[in-house]
Amino acid sequence: MKTETKGSRSTEMEIEEKVRPRWIEVNLDAVGRNTRRVKEMIGDGVKLLAVVKGDAYGLGMVPVAHTVISQGADLLGVTNPDEGVILRNKGIDAPIFIFRPLLPGEEELVVNYQLISSISSLQQAERLSDKARIYGVKVPVHLKVETGLGRTGFLPSSIKEHADRLFSLPGLEWEGIYTHFASAAGDPQFTRQQFRLFQSVVEGLKKRGIQFPLCHVCNSAAALLYPEMRLDLVRIGTLLYGENPPGVKDDLGLESTWSFWSRVIHLQKLEKGMMVGYGRTHRVSRDTTMAVIPVGYRDGFGVDVTPRPAGLIDLTKVVAKIVLGYLGFPVGKYYVEINGTPAPVLGRVGMELTCIDVGKIPGIEVGTPVRLMARRTVIRESIPKSYCQQEKAGSSDTQPV
Ligand SMILES: *Cc1c(COP(=O)(O)O)cnc(C)c1O
């Protein structure tokens, strides 16, 4: 274990190590094996860009980055340049790709830390080229094409308009061109349409004598579903972390890579008729025992990321779920797992404390571990992670932090 010696942070860590009230277990070996499985799927001719944005989808960016690189990922993908700086400072020398457009002033980081930028506007390209010239270098960039996600990138029409200027900027080296799908898992027709539009842009530029070594469009879902779209490179996050895009099946044998844990801190007798929690939303229907765990919505537990319903059918489903839940049916209800047995959350999840019914589970004491289900990417980043890695000793950064 790595322990700092000075400052309040070290005290915090000592406390955490002695009695961990909540923690995330991360299996880096599983991340590594998933990486190799994805590499086998795409074959030798296609590069793997491992997406480690969002703190590696909640698993810890730096340890995961070391692992995927050691298992053959060719590039790393992050959203922000400062994430790239952190990776460089931790000794990672693999190519690092920045997904989002740069803020004016961030060009310096990109040049100094040798990051690869996505270019979504002429102004951004000009600023970066200017900065590169000051340093006497050429920086690698990828042209982002907006084909239907409706977020960032050049519209195909504006590429034509700006091509002469863009491709003659002296500080840029056009290493790639790419687009991002809006609904790769759910809408094959629209995905193919985006792909055709992208291909037509690439073809059009080729006719003008402009070619890119790396053309890429696929995220996890598209790489699985459409082998013909893998082109030169695929950008993979979800699969590395052992999950499938919603509704997509694979036969890769991906392994689960993480689990989220807390402990029982209190056991409480409840009598039939009592109410539990804020808002008095839960009435106890029989005498039972309740356990309290020190986890709440502030930790990302019990937090739903509910997108706006995509249509009338979707809306009906959302409403039905709320109504059924109100009537007492077990839909949309949170469960935890104790000794492998599911136990329901009682009442509302609090900011930092949650109540669970353990009346039917024997052998529970204060201190008993509780496994939590939560959306990985919204779990509070400061919750300590415990890394398991046996296959290959990485750098010291893969030790528990
Ligand atoms: C997040 C992201 C990906 C990875 O998506 P997954 O579905 O998790 O594989 C790929 N490309 C871009 C541009 C992204 O932002």
Side-chain angles (χ1 to χ4, degrees):
M1 298 245 163
K2 201 168 66 178
T3 320
E4 284 169 27
T5 48
K6 268 186 278 177
S8 66
R9 177 88 189 112
S10 75
T11 323
E12 261 173 51
M13 291 209 304
E14 278 164 32
I15 295 169
E16 291 282 18
E17 276 169 25
K18 282 211 187 80
V19 280
R20 291 202 147 162
R22 56 200 162 248
W23 72 99
I24 294 170
E25 267 167 34
V26 180
N27 186 340
L28 289 175
D29 294 334
V31 174
R33 286 190 292 268
N34 290 343
T35 308
R36 290 207 296 269
R37 288 183 181 107
V38 169
K39 275 191 66 87
E40 269 165 38
M41 172 183 87
I42 62 177
D44 286 340
V46 180
K47 282 184 193 272
L48 172 60
L49 183 153
V51 181
V52 295
K53 71 185 180 197
D55 200 31
Y57 291 43
L59 302 190
M61 178 177 70
V62 173
V64 166
H66 280 296
T67 301
V68 294
I69 292 291
S70 77
Q71 298 307 321
D74 300 287
L75 302 87
L76 298 170
V78 290
T79 305
N80 305 289
D82 48 338
E83 294 165 297
V85 172
I86 292 169
L87 290 169
R88 285 279 179 262
N89 287 339
K90 293 289 182 180
I92 284 175
D93 51 20
I96 297 173
F97 190 91
I98 309 297
F99 291 134
R100 73 152 164 81
L102 300 176
L103 203 58
E106 285 179 330
E107 297 81 13
E108 184 121 9
L109 290 179
V110 165
V111 176
N112 285 338
Y113 289 86
Q114 297 172 344
L115 309 174
I116 304 167
S117 295
S118 303
I119 299 293
S120 286
S121 76
L122 179 60
Q123 294 80 354
Q124 193 205 331
E126 289 173 334
R127 282 195 300 267
L128 188 56
S129 175
D130 289 348
K131 188 58 79 177
R133 293 257 286 174
I134 292 171
Y135 285 86
V137 293
K138 262 183 182 264
V139 296
V141 292
H142 291 220
L143 189 75
K144 176 80 187 284
V145 188
E146 167 48 53
T147 58
L149 177 60
R151 203 161 68 178
T152 61
F154 287 89
L155 294 171
S157 57
S158 74
I159 293 179
K160 281 195 196 105
E161 185 187 332
H162 296 307
D164 290 341
R165 175 84 181 124
L166 273 175
F167 301 114
S168 61
L169 287 169
L172 305 185
E173 183 195 323
W174 292 95
E175 182 190 78
I177 183 168
Y178 80 109
T179 195
H180 195 32
F181 291 136
S183 190
D187 192 338
Q189 205 184 342
F190 190 70
T191 303
R192 293 205 179 89
Q193 185 181 321
Q194 280 192 272
F195 185 58
R196 278 195 301 272
L197 185 54
F198 176 76
Q199 292 289 66
S200 74
V201 169
V202 173
E203 278 303 309
L205 288 168
K206 193 171 168 186
K207 284 197 190 114
R208 302 174 69 145
I210 300 152
Q211 295 204 55
F212 302 85
L214 299 174
C215 299
H216 50 111
V217 299
C218 282
N219 59 0
S220 290
L224 266 179
L225 293 170
Y226 310 107
E228 73 280 11
M229 296 186 193
R230 291 177 192 154
L231 307 180
D232 304 304
L233 177 153
V234 292
R235 308 182 303 266
I236 306 290
T238 305
L239 298 177
L240 304 179
Y241 305 111
E243 276 164 36
N244 279 336
V248 179
K249 284 209 175 68
D250 75 87
D251 48 12
L252 300 176
L254 298 174
E255 289 172 59
S256 156
T257 57
W258 71 293
S259 49
F260 184 16
W261 296 86
S262 182
R263 290 183 195 281
V264 173
I265 52 161
H266 180 67
L267 288 163
Q268 179 79 49
K269 288 257 170 268
L270 295 180
E271 289 169 355
K272 184 176 172 181
M274 282 174 72
M275 304 298 283
V276 175
Y278 289 120
R280 306 181 68 244
T281 60
H282 180 83
R283 179 187 294 277
V284 178
S285 61
R286 57 180 163 79
D287 291 0
T288 188
T289 305
M290 176 179 89
V292 181
I293 54 174
V295 181
Y297 58 77
R298 170 171 139 80
D299 303 297
F301 180 69
V303 177
D304 278 328
V305 182
T306 313
R308 187 173 162 201
L312 220 49
I313 296 176
D314 226 22
L315 178 65
T316 315
K317 283 185 194 160
V318 173
V319 173
K321 215 168 147 177
I322 294 170
V323 172
L324 286 172
Y326 177 75
L327 295 175
F329 290 90
V331 288
K333 204 169 173 162
Y334 291 103
Y335 283 84
V336 299
E337 217 176 87
I338 305 181
N339 301 332
T341 309
V345 167
L346 296 181
R348 288 188 189 156
V349 170
M351 187 194 288
E352 297 188 297
L353 295 176
T354 297
C355 301
I356 40 190
D357 188 345
V358 295
K360 289 183 176 155
I361 307 176
I364 294 178
E365 298 165 17
V366 167
T368 297
V370 178
R371 180 160 179 190
L372 310 165
M373 318 299 152
R375 194 174 164 126
R376 212 181 30 205
T377 44
V378 301
I379 296 176
R380 185 154 63 100
E381 204 166 324
S382 63
I383 289 179
K385 295 173 191 83
S386 168
Y387 290 100
C388 143
Q389 183 176 43
Q390 267 131 34
E391 284 195 346
K392 188 170 159 189
S395 94
S396 62
D397 292 315
T398 54
Q399 295 298 307
V401 285

